[in-house]
Amino acid sequence: MSCGEPHEKDCSEVLDHLYEYLDREMPEGECADFQVHLDECSPCLEKYGLEQAVKKLVKRCCGHDDVPSDLRSKVMGRIELIRAGETVPEVSVLEQAKKEQAQREQSDAAAPTAEGTGQDDATGSTDARTEAARAE
């Protein structure tokens, strides 16, 4: 994407770092260069406006959902893999985090306790009467 005009900062470089600019994660000097480019380049400004609108929409619609605590680190890890040009697993980060959360919950629920397991607290043996009743 380019407006056809020469710029100090190339359009592809601007678009590659657009989210850093949107998220205010860019050093001040680079922000100024980005703003100059956006002021000069209408296609990049349009893309910036679109991405800004999408970000606001996502924040408004999804800003109150509970997110697994390790999701941010997984997302950042995926971003680093992509930037490094490495292959990224097919499973989405969110789906992977949900699957891991479900596995943790399942493992917590499966952890036996003396209460509700059909075991006698004193001996740890299974209640034979309960087993016999189930068999009938």
Side-chain angles (χ1 to χ4, degrees), residues 50-106:
L50 175 65
E51 296 300 328
Q52 187 178 40
V54 167
K55 185 175 174 170
K56 285 180 182 178
L57 179 64
V58 168
K59 182 178 181 179
R60 188 180 78 220
C61 295
C62 305
H64 304 292
D65 294 340
D66 290 332
V67 178
S69 59
D70 57 342
L71 180 60
R72 179 176 170 74
S73 63
K74 289 179 181 181
V75 169
M76 295 307 293
R78 289 274 182 102
I79 290 171
E80 292 304 318
L81 285 175
I82 291 168
R83 285 184 178 161
E86 296 179 29
T87 54
V88 180
E90 292 295 318
V91 178
S92 77
V93 174
L94 184 56
E95 288 302 316
Q96 182 180 355
K98 285 180 181 178
K99 182 189 277 186
E100 289 173 3
Q101 180 70 25
Q103 287 172 342
R104 280 193 296 272
E105 289 171 359
Q106 224 174 22

Side-chain angles (χ1 to χ4, degrees), residues 1 3 7 9-11 14-15 17-18 21-22 26 30-49 52:
M1 169 187 304
C3 61
H7 300 288
K9 194 174 274 293
D10 186 55
C11 292
V14 168
L15 297 177
H17 298 282
L18 188 57
Y21 181 76
L22 273 168
M26 184 176 280
E30 288 184 45
C31 284
D33 292 344
F34 257 65
Q35 189 59 53
V36 167
H37 183 95
L38 293 175
D39 290 343
E40 296 173 348
C41 183
S42 60
C44 287
L45 180 61
E46 184 177 333
K47 179 72 172 166
Y48 166 78
Q52 187 178 40

